[in-house]
Amino acid sequence: MNGQQGKTAIVTGGARGIGRAIAMALARHGFSVAVVDLLREQLAATAGELRALGIEVLPIVADTADYQAARGHVAAIMERWRRIDVLVNNAAVLQPKRILEITEAEWDLGVAVNLKGYFNWCQAVAPHMLAAGAGRIINMSSVSAHTGPSAHAASRFAYSATKAGVLGLTRGLARELAPQVCVNAICPGPILTERTAESFATHLDRLPQIIPLGRVGTPEDIAVVAAFLATAEPMFMTGEVIDVDGGANIN
Ligand SMILES: NC(=O)c1ccc[n+]([C@@H]2O[C@H](COP(=O)([O-])OP(=O)(O)OC[C@H]3O[C@@H](n4cnc5c(N)ncnc54)[C@H](O)[C@@H]3O)[C@@H](O)[C@H]2O)c1
């Protein structure tokens, strides 16, 4: 690996879970990595692990739903590193409530983080990628964008709605930002992380039986695909949606 020295990546929601695994994978490829998250302590711990891999790290405590903050942090990253090669939009919140229980505020928070947050960071990085003539944006969606929430899922319809929105954002931006910037989405299936451990707990015996590859996914299963989208050369994919679910939703 290590072929990407001198390049830089931003990973939102990178303090833990899938985002952390992606940041680690990009670091092993040689990227300098800016990690954005609300969780100050976990972010510091992850930044330490990333530095131990010998790369430059910028831990950024920020809310991705904050439009002005995204612009300010991207400006600061540009000032420091002079380039942004990869953006991974990954920060998202659960939406566990059903239609009869969810409040307006809860709906609005889901849209603000899971959809507008992705827009905020895409719009902030796009001018720099276009000016450089190259860039990769990777948006984390979910298989629940296609299927609606399955029984074992931690989130319900409102989450599926935002994740389907991410696919529209991805396809639209893939056209708008071509040919300089490639924009693709990953749809994870069931991946065991801090946030899904509880909801999967009662289904852990059954889940492998409905997944052709016979196991629940790990953050690293998603990270290898993100690293591929960030590093593959030549690159002839944009606006693509890649399901990484062990075959659970083959169609
Ligand atoms: N784990 C799964 O089974 C699964 C399945 C499908 C899709 N996904 C998607 O993968 C991504 C990562 O999921 P995960 O399981 O690692 O979740 P996670 O909750 O463990 O990690 C998400 C990270 O995002 C951060 N975050 C949340 N809101 C934020 C905000 N407003 N600003 C900045 N940071 C914020 C959290 O602090 C956390 O560190 C999400 O987009 C999720 O929707 C996960």
Side-chain angles (χ1 to χ4, degrees):
M1 289 206 242
N2 262 348
Q4 309 291 319
Q5 274 102 349
K7 291 194 175 179
T8 75
I10 300 171
V11 182
T12 73
R16 68 179 199 183
I18 290 170
R20 175 187 161 279
I22 293 172
M24 298 290 285
L26 295 180
R28 287 189 201 98
H29 278 276
F31 285 91
S32 300
V33 186
V35 185
V36 184
D37 210 290
L38 287 169
L39 302 175
R40 188 177 293 274
E41 278 177 26
Q42 294 201 34
L43 182 59
T46 297
E49 291 177 88
L50 287 164
R51 282 197 193 94
L53 296 173
I55 60 145
E56 262 199 77
V57 185
L58 261 181
I60 298 172
V61 179
D63 180 352
T64 54
D66 183 333
Y67 180 78
Q68 291 302 340
R71 303 184 82 74
H73 288 301
V74 165
I77 294 167
M78 280 303 292
E79 198 164 320
R80 170 132 170 210
W81 286 340
R82 306 276 160 208
R83 60 189 292 165
I84 296 168
D85 298 281
V86 175
L87 167 66
V88 182
N89 275 313
N90 168 80
V93 290
L94 290 173
Q95 285 287 35
K97 300 255 184 92
R98 292 170 187 264
I99 184 71
L100 298 185
E101 290 108 39
I102 192 169
T103 65
E104 183 185 11
E106 287 163 346
W107 168 270
D108 286 348
L109 175 68
V111 174
V113 178
N114 298 8
L115 190 52
K116 185 185 171 216
Y118 285 33
F119 153 72
N120 290 342
W121 285 79
C122 284
Q123 195 190 50
V125 303
H128 305 295
M129 291 182 172
L130 289 173
R136 307 271 172 97
I137 295 176
I138 301 160
N139 292 325
M140 204 56 60
S141 178
S142 166
V143 290
S144 122
H146 319 305
T147 63
S150 44
H152 58 264
S155 282
R156 311 254 48 97
F157 80 101
Y159 174 83
S160 302
T162 58
K163 291 299 184 179
V166 168
L167 300 186
L169 179 87
T170 300
R171 293 177 174 126
L173 289 185
R175 290 187 188 277
E176 275 191 31
L177 299 178
Q180 296 94 331
V181 183
C182 296
V183 188
N184 292 292
I186 298 173
C187 288
I191 307 297
L192 199 53
T193 64
E194 288 92 328
R195 82 167 183 166
T196 55
E198 201 183 317
S199 65
F200 287 178
T202 49
H203 301 272
L204 271 183
D205 290 345
R206 200 176 58 90
L207 270 173
Q209 295 161 27
I210 57 169
I211 299 173
L213 292 185
R215 64 178 174 84
V216 171
T218 66
E220 289 68 32
D221 289 321
I222 305 303
V224 291
V225 179
F228 161 74
L229 290 172
T231 62
E233 289 288 354
M235 187 59 163
F236 200 50
M237 286 171 64
T238 196
E240 272 303 326
V241 174
I242 305 178
D243 289 358
V244 185
D245 63 353
N249 298 286
I250 293 171
N251 59 28

